[in-house]
Amino acid sequence: MAITAAMVKELRELSGAGMMDCKKALNETNGDMEAAMEFLRKNGQAKAEKKAGRIAAEGLCRIAVKNDTTAAVVEVNSETDFVAKNENFQEFVAAVAQQAVDSDAADMDAFMAEPWNVDTTKTVKEALVEKIATIGENLNIRRFEKVTAEHGCVVSYTHGGGRIGVIVEADTDVVNDAVKECLSNVAMQVAALSPKYVATTDVPEDYKEHEKEILMAQAQNDPKNANKPANIIEKMITGRLAKELKEVCLLEQAYVKDGDLTVAKYIEQVAKENGAKLSVKKFVRFETGEGLEKKVDDFAAEVAAQAGM
C-alpha cells in the first residue's frame, strides 16, 4: 500500500512520534493506522492512548443532577469555539442535560426520538435541527450517560467552562456536607488525572497482558537491557506495570491536594471522621471533542480557491 504524506501526518498527530518514525511504522504495517500506532508504542516512540488525549472538536459538556441520587452528563458539539460560547447554545446544552437526567433511554437513537422536555410537540432530534437552523452552524448531540446511586449519592464537577464533565457515584450510609465535599474533590481528581478504572481489581486481565506485552517489547528494544537476564527483565516489567496501574486506577493515584495520601487513603480518612461507610462505586468523565478530528480551516487556501488561483 502506498504511504501518503497525509497518513504520516495523521499518525504523527495521534502518536507524537517523529515524522520518519511514523513513515517507517506505516511501511512496516502496510498502512494500517492502528497497527502502526502499536508498532510505535512497542518501540517506545509513542505513549499509550495518545489519541484519546487529543481534544479536537468544539462544544460543551453539561451535567444535570436530581435529588443527589441521579445525574446525567452530555456532550454537545459545535463547529466553532465561538458558538460554544454563545448563550443560546449554552442554554440548549443545559436543556439537553436536563432531558438526559429525566430520560430512560438506553441509547442515542431512543434519546433522540423522545419528546423534547422544553416543547413536547417535537422530538429531541427535531429540537436539534431547529437549533441548527437558528444558530447557523452544524451541531451534534454526541453522547450522554446517566448515573443513579442506589445506596448513596452522586456528585458532579465541571471544569474549564464545560470542557470536562465528571460524575462520581458513591456507596455511603452518611450523606452530609463533608462527604459531598470529599466526593467533589475526588471528581476534581478524575477531571485532572483522567483515570481509566476505579481500582486495580477493576482492570481486565487482557488490558494487563496487553500493557505487559508493550512494556516487554520496549525493554527488549532498549540497548541498555541487552545483557540483562530474562528474570531481571521480568521483574522490571512487573514493577513498571504496577506503576502504570497506579496511574490509571483512581484509588491508587496520589491525591492531588495532598501527595502524602492516595485517593483511597483520603476517602478512608473522611469516612472515619464522619463515622461513614464510604466507597467510590463508579465515575464517568466526558471531555469535549475526545477522539474527534478537528476541522482546521486554511483561510489562505480558501481565498485562493474562491479567486481561482
Side-chain angles (χ1 to χ4, degrees):
M1 179 180 181
I3 306 304
T4 66
M7 292 167 67
V8 174
K9 179 176 180 289
E10 181 182 353
L11 182 59
R12 190 178 183 188
E13 289 175 348
L14 295 177
S15 67
M19 182 174 68
M20 296 309 295
D21 290 329
C22 290
K23 185 176 180 181
K24 180 181 177 182
L26 286 165
N27 280 322
E28 290 286 338
T29 58
N30 198 32
D32 185 318
M33 196 64 64
E34 187 174 331
M37 187 71 178
E38 190 86 345
F39 178 89
L40 290 171
R41 286 193 63 201
K42 285 183 176 179
N43 286 278
Q45 294 157 336
K47 293 182 179 178
E49 305 302 327
K50 179 74 177 179
K51 181 176 181 179
R54 292 186 58 82
I55 306 307
E58 309 300 342
L60 288 174
C61 295
R62 282 285 182 267
I63 300 171
V65 180
K66 186 165 61 175
N67 302 325
D68 288 334
T69 57
T70 305
V73 58
V74 301
E75 178 187 353
V76 182
N77 298 123
S78 61
E79 288 186 66
T80 64
D81 183 52
F82 177 78
V83 163
K85 294 175 181 177
N86 180 286
E87 186 177 345
N88 192 352
F89 176 75
Q90 292 180 355
E91 289 176 355
F92 176 70
V93 180
V96 173
Q98 190 59 51
Q99 179 86 25
V101 83
D102 292 331
S103 174
D104 292 322
D107 55 41
M108 186 56 72
D109 288 341
F111 181 74
M112 296 298 282
E114 287 184 340
W116 179 232
N117 280 351
V118 180
D119 179 356
T120 55
T121 64
K122 61 187 76 167
T123 63
V124 174
K125 184 175 182 178
E126 288 167 343
L128 174 64
V129 170
E130 189 176 276
K131 190 58 63 176
I132 291 170
T134 301
I135 290 180
E137 185 170 302
N138 190 33
L139 310 176
N140 178 43
I141 301 174
R142 184 186 179 201
R143 53 181 174 163
F144 74 95
E145 187 160 345
K146 181 177 176 180
V147 177
T148 300
E150 296 180 3
H151 306 290
C153 66
V154 294
V155 297
S156 66
Y157 173 68
T158 304
H159 179 76
R163 187 170 64 86
I164 298 172
V166 175
I167 299 171
V168 172
E169 177 192 354
D171 279 348
T172 177
D173 56 353
V174 175
V175 180
N176 58 20
D177 290 344
V179 168
K180 287 182 182 179
E181 181 183 1
C182 167
L183 296 173
S184 293
N185 287 333
V186 172
M188 289 183 200
Q189 175 96 15
V190 172
L193 296 186
S194 190
K196 296 180 182 296
Y197 306 98
V198 173
T200 51
T201 52
D202 300 323
V203 182
E205 284 303 315
D206 59 351
Y207 176 90
K208 293 178 186 176
E209 287 303 316
H210 180 258
E211 291 307 304
K212 188 174 180 179
E213 180 187 328
I214 296 293
L215 291 168
M216 181 63 76
Q218 289 175 354
Q220 290 171 343
N221 287 323
D222 188 342
K224 291 184 293 185
N225 298 327
N227 298 317
K228 289 180 181 175
N231 66 317
I232 297 299
I233 292 178
E234 183 69 27
K235 286 181 181 178
M236 285 171 48
I237 298 308
T238 301
R240 288 178 185 175
L241 181 61
K243 184 180 180 217
E244 182 181 318
L245 291 180
K246 285 184 179 181
E247 292 172 355
V248 301
C249 295
L250 173 64
L251 298 181
E252 299 293 323
Q253 290 179 343
Y255 177 43
V256 290
K257 289 191 173 184
D258 184 346
D260 293 332
L261 296 174
T262 62
V263 173
K265 288 294 183 184
Y266 166 61
I267 294 170
E268 185 181 310
Q269 180 178 291
V270 173
K272 186 176 180 180
E273 290 169 355
N274 290 270
K277 293 179 181 177
L278 174 62
S279 63
V280 172
K281 185 177 180 182
K282 176 182 179 178
F283 66 81
V284 177
R285 183 185 188 275
F286 277 13
E287 188 160 351
T288 305
E290 213 164 16
L292 293 179
E293 185 71 20
K294 184 176 182 179
K295 179 184 176 183
V296 179
D297 293 315
D298 186 340
F299 292 108
E302 188 177 329
V303 171
Q306 290 178 356
M309 296 170 66

